[in-house]
Amino acid sequence: MNIFRLTGDLSHLAAIIILLLKIWKTRSCAGISGKSQILFALVFTTRYLDLLTSFISVYNTTMKMIYIGCAYATLYLIYMKFKATYDGNHDTFRVEFLVVPISGLAFLVNHDFSPLEILWTFSIYLESVAILPQLFMISKTGEAETITTHYLFFLGLYRALYLINWIWRFYFEGFFDMIAIVAGVVQTILYCDFFYLYVTKVLKGKKLSLPA
């Protein structure tokens, strides 16, 4: 495992922990898109079904279980424990416009036409756009809490580091995965505007806002 994948994994883990701590400490999920979290839970569930069929390493298995567990813990906090604080009026992105076409694309463009491979491909495509409901929600409310922006920053950093990981693997291992790379590029592009605002506003102590 190279340093870019490791730091990417740690950035991803940091984002998840930041989100869970934010909800737990404030006893509120205000400003958090439950729909984005449902999509992420779907991503991890469909991607890590190989936990039932194969073993790669203790690290790999542990991280997969943490991602799945934290995803459903987040959904529990949003839709059950702190349901009264969930802002469903602003979390209105039509996720079916993402899930349906992505499902079709996963059937048409994949590495191998088998159930596990199609579901893995679906998860890669879906992860690239799963943050859209959250960004849409921020644009509707006009601003985001600082802790929420930290969560988004580490989530975007994770994907950017994974892109570097794919480049590293191509040059030093001869490994190339077009599906993962294209999806990673799309996801990173979605974060570009946010990264700019994060550096120019949040890191200077200002509140982040997106055009409504």
Side-chain angles (χ1 to χ4, degrees):
M1 180 187 298
N2 64 65
I3 188 64
F4 299 111
R5 179 173 178 179
L6 178 60
T7 51
D9 285 344
L10 294 177
S11 295
H12 196 183
L13 187 59
I16 293 170
I17 292 173
I18 287 171
L19 180 64
L20 283 170
L21 287 177
K22 182 268 181 197
I23 296 174
W24 188 258
K25 283 192 170 184
T26 62
R27 319 296 285 182
S28 169
C29 53
I32 302 298
S33 167
K35 291 187 175 183
S36 267
Q37 297 309 313
I38 288 174
L39 294 182
F40 282 123
L42 187 56
V43 165
F44 297 139
T45 302
T46 54
R47 181 175 302 172
Y48 299 144
L49 288 172
D50 63 345
L51 282 171
L52 304 174
T53 61
S54 60
F55 176 80
I56 298 174
S57 68
V58 172
Y59 172 83
N60 184 276
T61 298
T62 301
M63 292 301 283
K64 287 177 178 179
M65 292 177 68
I66 288 174
Y67 290 149
I68 293 172
C70 287
Y72 284 98
T74 303
L75 291 181
Y76 167 74
L77 294 179
I78 293 174
Y79 288 104
M80 296 183 72
K81 190 167 183 65
F82 303 123
K83 184 179 180 180
T85 64
Y86 170 55
D87 186 10
N89 291 328
H90 287 115
D91 194 15
T92 57
F93 192 94
R94 300 286 296 276
V95 294
E96 62 269 26
F97 292 153
L98 298 177
V99 174
V100 173
I102 284 174
S103 298
L105 185 61
F107 269 96
L108 295 172
V109 184
N110 51 66
H111 295 308
D112 179 48
F113 198 76
S114 65
L116 280 181
E117 188 63 31
I118 290 171
L119 287 171
W120 179 86
T121 305
F122 168 80
S123 78
I124 295 296
Y125 293 151
L126 185 60
E127 186 184 23
S128 69
V129 294
I131 200 61
L132 282 177
Q134 180 67 64
L135 297 178
F136 182 72
M137 187 177 186
I138 292 174
S139 77
K140 286 197 73 175
T141 59
E143 60 184 22
E145 294 179 20
T146 300
I147 192 69
T148 304
T149 63
H150 293 333
Y151 158 69
L152 291 171
F153 173 78
F154 278 102
L155 206 56
L157 181 61
Y158 138 69
R159 182 41 63 188
L161 286 167
Y162 253 67
L163 264 184
I164 301 174
N165 163 63
W166 293 123
I167 296 172
W168 174 280
R169 294 190 66 184
F170 174 71
Y171 277 102
F172 294 97
E173 301 175 16
F175 181 83
F176 184 76
D177 189 328
M178 179 62 76
I179 289 175
I181 290 175
V182 171
V185 169
V186 170
Q187 189 173 358
T188 305
I189 289 173
L190 291 178
Y191 280 95
C192 284
D193 187 44
F194 169 80
F195 279 146
Y196 172 77
L197 293 173
Y198 185 86
V199 171
T200 58
K201 290 191 175 183
V202 179
L203 293 184
K204 294 181 180 179
K206 300 176 183 178
K207 205 163 190 176
L208 181 142
S209 61
L210 293 178

